[in-house]
């Protein structure tokens, strides 16, 4: 009575594992794309909430600048602007923001100044999310 496996049994089990791994690889890539796009959408939504809170706490106009490579919260304009917070944008994980960069200004009451909604479309691979920010501060993330 011998213990262990023969060479043929090892080769067959390695071949089966290879086939299963090859079949699962696209699913793992798709999950990863969805994760990065969801994280980028959540980051924009949380930056929006942070900017609103800062405008109310400081009782002044605060700007949120959303760009593909970075997010900035600052008050003041020009060279004298004071940066309150910044973060690396969605591009760091290969997420593409198809909409243009946009600056949202928040009044001291926390309401966005201006008349239009802001919309940011984020994509990576087959994953896609749209972040819509209303003038009154409602944030929706649409899959």
């Amino acid at each position: 009575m011998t213990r262990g496996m023969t060479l043929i049994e090892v080769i067959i089990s390695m071949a089966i594992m290879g086939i299963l791994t090859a079949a699962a690889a696209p699913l793992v890539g798709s999950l990863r794309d969805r994760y990065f796009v969801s994280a980028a959408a959540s980051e924009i939504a949380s930056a929006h909430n942070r900017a609103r809170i800062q405008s109310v706490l400081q009782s002044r106009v605060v700007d949120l600048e959303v760009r593909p490579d970075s997010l900035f919260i600052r008050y003041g304009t020009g060279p004298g602007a004071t940066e309150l917070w910044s973060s690396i944008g969605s591009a760091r994980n290969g997420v593409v923001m198809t909409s243009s960069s946009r600056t949202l200004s928040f009044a001291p009451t926390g309401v966005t100044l201006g008349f239009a909604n802001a919309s940011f479309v984020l994509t990576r691979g087959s994953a896609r999310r749209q972040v819509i920010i209303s003038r009154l501060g409602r944030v929706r993330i649409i899959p």
Side-chain angles (χ1 to χ4, degrees):
M1 180 174 207
T2 61
R3 303 182 105 191
M5 298 172 56
T6 65
L7 182 60
I8 293 177
E9 291 172 333
V10 171
I11 291 173
I12 290 174
S13 33
M14 292 292 282
I16 291 172
M17 288 174 40
I19 291 169
L20 291 175
T21 303
L27 297 174
V28 172
S30 176
L31 284 173
R32 192 167 185 225
D33 290 345
R34 286 193 311 228
Y35 169 77
F36 283 131
V37 169
S38 294
S42 296
E43 192 169 343
I44 291 173
S46 65
H48 174 268
N49 290 333
R50 184 182 298 240
R52 285 187 70 208
I53 290 169
Q54 288 294 326
S55 69
V56 171
L57 290 176
Q58 296 193 13
S59 295
R60 60 176 16 159
V61 175
V62 172
D63 294 332
L64 167 64
E65 185 177 355
V66 180
R67 298 190 312 203
D69 60 344
S70 57
L71 300 167
F72 291 105
I73 297 175
R74 59 176 68 102
Y75 64 86
T77 57
T82 302
E83 187 175 305
L84 299 172
W85 177 83
S86 66
S87 176
I88 299 172
S90 59
R92 73 172 168 223
N93 293 321
V95 177
V96 177
M97 187 169 76
T98 57
S99 50
S100 62
S101 300
R102 184 138 183 207
T103 301
L104 305 170
S105 296
F106 296 87
T109 58
V111 176
T112 309
L113 299 172
F115 294 106
N117 293 343
S119 179
F120 304 99
V121 179
L122 305 166
T123 58
R124 178 181 160 153
S126 62
R128 181 182 187 276
R129 296 247 186 218
Q130 183 177 11
V131 180
I132 300 173
I133 301 172
S134 75
R135 184 172 114 53
L136 298 176
R138 181 175 176 214
V139 178
R140 289 183 296 155
I141 299 176
I142 299 173

